[in-house]
Amino acid sequence: MSRRHVWLLAWGLAILAVPVHVQAATGNPHHGRPRHQRPAAPARPKVEAITVSAQRRDFSYPEAQNVPDADTRLTAARLIERGVVSLRGLERVAPNLTIQSINGTASTNFYLRGVGFNDFTQNNMPTVLSYFDDVPFAFSTMTDGMMFDMAGAEVTPGPVGTRHGQSDTGGEVRLRTNDPTDTWHYGARQDIASYARSRSEAYVSGPLAKGLSFRLAGQTQQGGGWQRDPLNGDHLGDANLWALRGKLKWTPDSHTTLMISGHFTQDDNEVVNGIPVHQLVGTSGLPVEGWQQTEWSMRDAFAHLIGRKTGLKPSEHDQFWGADVHFSHDFGLVTFSSISAFETEREGEYTDQDGTALAQADTYRTIDANAFTQEVRLQSSHPHDRFQWTVGAFYQRSRMQQRFFFDYTDYVPQRGYMMATHFGMDQESTSEFGNISYRFPHGVTLWAGLLHEIDDRSISGLQSVIFGGSQQDFHGESTAAAQYAGQAGVSWQAAQHALVYFKISKGFKPGGFTANNTQVQAQLDPFRPETVLTYELGLKSDPFPNRLRLNAAAFYNDYHNQQIVGTVLIPNYGPLSEITNAPKSESWGFEATLDIHPFAHLFVTQNLGWQRGNFQNFPTVNRAATNAYYAQHGVWKAIDDNFAGVDNGQPKLTLNGNAEWRQPLGPHYGLDVGPDWLYRDSQAITPGGTGFYRLPPYFLLGAHMTFHPASSHWSATVYATNLLNRRYAESGGMATTTYFYIPGAPRFVGGRISCDF
């Protein structure tokens, strides 16, 4: 048995040894007694009402304490309080989760428990799937602008797919939006902050006829640009986004529900531009700038080529829209549900990837994509029966056309031209899944699930054109996979407030293609599917109900053909990123969430994530050594290496949390005040990366103060993010001539007013 397995077993025994107080005191000394036996309320009932309201907002989802999983469940109130208005904000409220912008754009990469990969073209299945209202998004950019009028969110780490949706190796993020209501409700929220940033939301919901109700919600985002060009004083980063969502719900009887939803987003946001930190090629030197300064360029000839206006700043020009139909009917012993969805993406994105005023890596890409998904499920109708089961099937079909334009005019003598790459991708997959569980006496439950998936995808029509020069046409490639995924586990309700579980999961993720800046046919060789075998041991406990909650899990991942961004060297051209497979790798770690309510008014939440991992076999080009050889000899030569035993580069330690003091102000009002914090350890940009090849660690501190009435119909908040105004890098990457960091936002101070009736 390896040291890691010994460590994992020891950690599991340690958490089992945590003392559990089954009859610990609660915040109410009469908790558990029938209402008619309780003594009369004290003479100030209105103050009591405020106290109950405050307690209701924490230690949420008590029913989930009996569910054997490591999910992080987040209420809408927590998302608003922490300012989570996009997918990237979720890393501030969940353990072991990193969500990074790709080159400062709306596209994102996920890393959950260190599992994920950098897919700039976004034409492959993500390692962590995003769901909105149970609809999976084949391309994560499609979720842009949709995080408003939220009902809550869940983050599930590890392999998934035996109960719904698709198989995956890293996990999933499920987001829920508010449904129509049978009574009239309406509300609005206005958030104004530094750098003229404005965020506005509004909704209205109510009945249209008997059994028929609707909900309409929308948001706008404006301003907030905090970067400046030191050469001309122009500022960069202003938001310009609006989105609408509508839902129509029909319940003809108590057993049947039909929901039709539609949404639209227009995103013309300016992006966050990179700051060059190292020069790979050239002798002109890097610009010396402050952390909030960056340079960019848009040559008139390039603007004319891509059909955009001259002087265009790095920005998005995106449209996303979609519709879905949810249907369910309870037949008594079994419930049938169906989810049909169609999503589209129309993207035009300009980025200046070298971070200088020279045209060395100016990039514009267009995406025209759509995806259709269909899921059907049959499951047991009575959730309290000992025997539970689910069977279902899932189908997905996606189509994508991408075109990249590059301006290398100032990248001389190596290139000195403008070029474009175009490709199309078709994908289709089907899967069948099932899951069963049985609850035995003495609190023991066994469960097992199985999924079979077939995935076919192909890339075609790939063409690279050097304007005024040569043209290359590449033949298409295809890849197919048929794999099983599954899960088996056991849980034990050891005490009323303590659950222990162990599960083994196998995850599967199909292969795909690297299609960015293709120069030789070999770059289109598909990478292989990824599989992982995950062992997880977990604890859910409320040692002191309503005072202390501790949830924790330890995991070990055994990977085969883990999909990793490696390096390919094109002779007389330079190094390019390429998604490849590490034949063997592993990772392990733990995570925990601690909720504390030690005494009246104080509430604390702390998330902790720690993970390690290494490649056991990963032959690829050593980018750092290859770049060093070029710097010394002026010739590109691939320095091959095997990164066996090298750390996987993911942040080892992540921390986030918040504390809040909830103070009643007389019988009718309350004041909530407290700090929040985030720490993320260093992260390698390239395998084995050190120095500038690695993002530095950082710590961020925020704070808020909210004034509200006991009714909670409205609230007024002042807040600050990055209170200490720390300089930090949110993500990073490589262009043709430079390595760059995408800087994180500076201090923002703002105010928010919201009302709900």
Side-chain angles (χ1 to χ4, degrees):
M1 180 179 291
S2 69
R3 288 184 297 171
R4 284 178 287 277
H5 291 83
V6 171
W7 173 89
L8 184 61
L9 178 61
W11 192 92
L13 293 174
I15 64 172
L16 289 176
V18 174
V20 179
H21 301 268
V22 177
Q23 297 180 342
T26 70
N28 184 350
H30 308 292
H31 179 76
R33 295 172 60 179
R35 186 175 296 276
H36 68 274
Q37 294 180 5
R38 298 179 187 178
R44 299 178 65 185
K46 292 182 179 179
V47 175
E48 286 292 313
I50 291 176
T51 303
V52 171
S53 174
Q55 290 183 346
R56 187 174 61 246
R57 293 166 50 203
D58 214 279
F59 290 82
S60 54
Y61 303 108
E63 68 283 354
Q65 288 298 97
N66 299 316
V67 179
D69 60 33
D71 292 15
T72 299
R73 295 171 171 85
L74 302 161
T75 64
R78 175 57 55 87
L79 297 176
I80 294 171
E81 174 190 299
R82 296 299 303 274
V84 179
V85 296
S86 68
L87 283 176
R88 293 200 298 273
L90 289 171
E91 70 175 9
R92 301 198 296 268
V93 289
N96 266 332
L97 176 63
T98 298
I99 307 178
Q100 294 173 315
S101 164
I102 302 175
N103 296 337
T105 69
S107 300
T108 53
N109 286 321
F110 288 80
Y111 300 89
L112 186 52
R113 289 180 172 174
V115 182
F117 76 117
N118 182 3
D119 183 15
F120 171 66
T121 52
Q122 297 283 285
N123 64 303
N124 298 294
M125 182 177 174
T127 307
V128 179
L129 276 170
S130 302
Y131 288 77
F132 262 90
D133 294 329
D134 293 323
V135 175
F137 283 74
F139 313 114
S140 65
T141 312
M142 288 180 169
T143 65
D144 183 26
M146 291 185 60
M147 287 195 65
F148 62 96
D149 195 31
M150 299 296 296
E154 296 180 20
V155 178
T156 300
V160 293
T162 64
R163 288 182 171 89
H164 71 274
Q166 290 181 277
S167 173
D168 213 337
T169 52
E172 59 191 21
V173 174
R174 298 189 301 277
L175 301 119
R176 304 184 310 279
T177 62
N178 285 312
D179 287 338
T181 54
D182 296 330
T183 56
W184 284 100
H185 293 278
Y186 57 92
R189 182 171 297 108
Q190 179 63 53
D191 187 322
I192 298 175
S194 308
Y195 303 96
R197 189 183 71 190
S198 173
R199 296 171 179 159
S200 307
E201 294 183 26
Y203 73 91
V204 60
S205 178
L208 294 174
K210 184 178 180 180
L212 184 66
S213 56
F214 84 103
R215 190 178 190 97
L216 183 64
Q219 73 151 335
T220 66
Q221 298 180 13
Q222 302 290 327
W226 47 268
Q227 288 187 301
R228 285 196 174 274
D229 189 331
L231 300 180
N232 55 27
D234 282 352
H235 78 280
L236 180 69
D238 279 342
N240 182 14
L241 177 149
W242 63 271
L244 288 173
R245 179 166 51 241
K247 292 186 175 184
L248 192 64
K249 181 181 179 182
W250 182 42
T251 52
D253 54 58
S254 60
H255 303 289
T256 307
T257 300
L258 175 67
M259 182 99 71
I260 302 174
S261 305
H263 63 89
F264 181 89
T265 298
Q266 178 67 50
D267 182 356
D268 292 301
N269 290 343
E270 296 170 1
V271 306
V272 177
N273 206 46
I275 296 177
V277 294
H278 181 77
Q279 188 169 27
L280 295 173
V281 178
T283 59
S284 58
L286 294 177
V288 179
E289 300 165 348
W291 196 247
Q292 292 180 228
Q293 293 180 324
T294 185
E295 296 179 10
W296 66 89
S297 61
M298 167 59 76
R299 296 172 58 252
D300 291 349
F302 191 54
H304 178 73
L305 175 67
I306 65 177
R308 298 296 300 274
K309 66 181 181 180
T310 59
L312 180 70
K313 296 180 181 180
S315 59
E316 307 277 1
H317 182 56
D318 309 335
Q319 288 184 352
F320 307 94
W321 63 269
D324 52 81
V325 179
H326 290 61
F327 174 79
S328 67
H329 181 79
D330 186 350
F331 290 95
L333 295 177
V334 61
T335 297
F336 169 80
S337 61
S338 169
I339 305 172
S340 309
F342 183 77
E343 299 292 336
T344 66
E345 174 182 355
R346 304 289 185 269
E347 184 173 356
E349 177 186 273
Y350 167 53
T351 53
D352 189 312
Q353 295 183 21
D354 59 287
T356 72
L358 299 175
Q360 296 178 331
D362 297 355
T363 305
Y364 186 77
R365 73 167 171 173
T366 63
I367 300 176
D368 187 347
N370 63 72
F372 171 76
T373 59
Q374 174 65 58
E375 180 174 341
V376 292
R377 286 199 303 263
L378 287 171
Q379 61 191 71
S380 49
S381 294
H382 305 293
H384 299 295
D385 288 350
R386 288 185 178 274
F387 180 65
Q388 298 289 314
W389 59 271
T390 299
V391 295
F394 178 85
Y395 171 78
Q396 177 176 283
R397 170 189 168 284
S398 66
R399 299 291 184 264
M400 172 182 281
Q401 293 286 332
Q402 281 204 47
R403 193 171 189 184
F404 286 84
F405 297 86
F406 302 96
D407 190 354
Y408 299 136
T409 303
D410 295 328
Y411 183 14
V412 291
Q414 289 84 354
R415 298 179 197 177
Y417 49 74
M418 295 186 295
M419 67 168 293
T421 297
H422 174 271
F423 70 89
M425 194 194 74
D426 296 340
Q427 176 270 338
E428 190 171 19
S429 65
T430 58
S431 61
E432 310 83 35
F433 57 85
N435 196 91
I436 59 173
S437 67
Y438 189 82
R439 189 175 71 253
F440 292 90
H442 308 295
V444 176
T445 299
L446 295 177
W447 75 91
L450 186 67
L451 173 140
H452 177 256
E453 182 173 317
I454 299 174
D455 183 271
D456 292 282
R457 56 188 66 211
S458 61
I459 190 168
S460 60
L462 199 143
Q463 182 185 80
S464 287
V465 178
I466 296 176
F467 296 101
S470 62
Q471 174 178 313
Q472 298 183 77
D473 294 289
F474 301 91
H475 63 74
E477 295 281 358
S478 62
T479 181
Q483 284 271 4
Y484 285 94
Q487 187 177 105
V490 57
S491 66
W492 176 39
Q493 192 73 46
Q496 181 181 357
H497 300 292
L499 173 75
V500 181
Y501 70 89
F502 175 77
K503 66 179 180 180
I504 302 175
S505 309
K506 181 195 176 185
F508 160 72
K509 179 178 177 296
F513 306 95
T514 305
N516 176 31
N517 197 1
T518 304
Q519 299 298 313
V520 295
Q521 182 66 45
Q523 288 180 264
L524 290 183
D525 291 344
F527 53 86
R528 295 186 295 276
E530 170 185 285
T531 61
V532 62
L533 191 62
T534 297
Y535 305 85
E536 182 176 313
L537 178 66
L539 167 73
K540 286 189 167 182
S541 67
D542 289 270
F544 300 93
N546 298 321
R547 294 293 184 185
L548 175 65
R549 173 179 291 177
L550 173 63
N551 295 340
F555 60 89
Y556 174 79
N557 296 318
D558 183 11
Y559 285 99
H560 291 269
N561 291 319
Q562 184 177 6
Q563 295 167 3
I564 297 290
V565 175
T567 299
V568 58
L569 182 71
I570 308 301
N572 301 318
Y573 192 87
L576 292 174
S577 295
E578 181 180 56
I579 302 174
T580 185
N581 297 92
K584 193 72 174 67
S585 57
E586 63 180 348
S587 65
W588 62 94
F590 68 88
E591 62 216 13
T593 297
L594 184 67
D595 288 308
I596 310 174
H597 176 35
F599 48 82
H601 311 310
L602 180 62
F603 296 81
V604 180
T605 296
Q606 176 65 63
N607 292 315
L608 180 149
W610 183 86
Q611 70 90 28
R612 294 290 303 271
N614 59 54
F615 303 112
Q616 295 165 296
N617 181 22
F618 183 24
T620 188
V621 173
N622 187 321
R623 178 166 287 190
T626 300
N627 291 335
Y629 185 90
Y630 180 85
Q632 182 176 359
H633 301 284
V635 176
W636 287 117
K637 177 183 178 182
I639 308 299
D640 295 320
D641 200 351
N642 192 317
F643 286 90
V646 175
D647 185 90
N648 66 6
Q650 288 304 302
K652 294 179 176 60
L653 177 65
T654 57
L655 299 169
N656 62 70
N658 69 288
E660 189 171 64
W661 183 273
R662 301 174 185 171
Q663 179 65 48
L665 300 177
H668 302 294
Y669 299 97
L671 185 69
D672 304 338
V673 59
D676 57 79
W677 52 87
L678 166 70
Y679 174 80
R680 193 178 79 189
D681 215 336
S682 65
Q683 177 183 356
I685 302 175
T686 188
T690 59
F692 62 85
Y693 294 100
R694 196 173 189 93
L695 299 176
Y698 64 84
F699 172 80
L700 302 178
L701 181 68
H704 78 279
M705 181 171 61
T706 300
F707 178 70
H708 59 88
S711 66
S712 297
H713 282 314
W714 61 267
S715 65
T717 300
V718 293
Y719 65 87
T721 58
N722 192 4
L723 189 61
L724 304 178
N725 205 28
R726 292 286 183 89
R727 294 172 44 164
Y728 67 101
E730 192 257 340
S731 62
M734 176 203 142
T736 53
T737 59
T738 65
Y739 260 86
F740 59 87
Y741 291 164
I742 300 297
R747 179 193 298 119
F748 270 78
V749 178
R752 181 173 57 245
I753 298 176
S754 62
C755 62
D756 296 275
F757 298 96

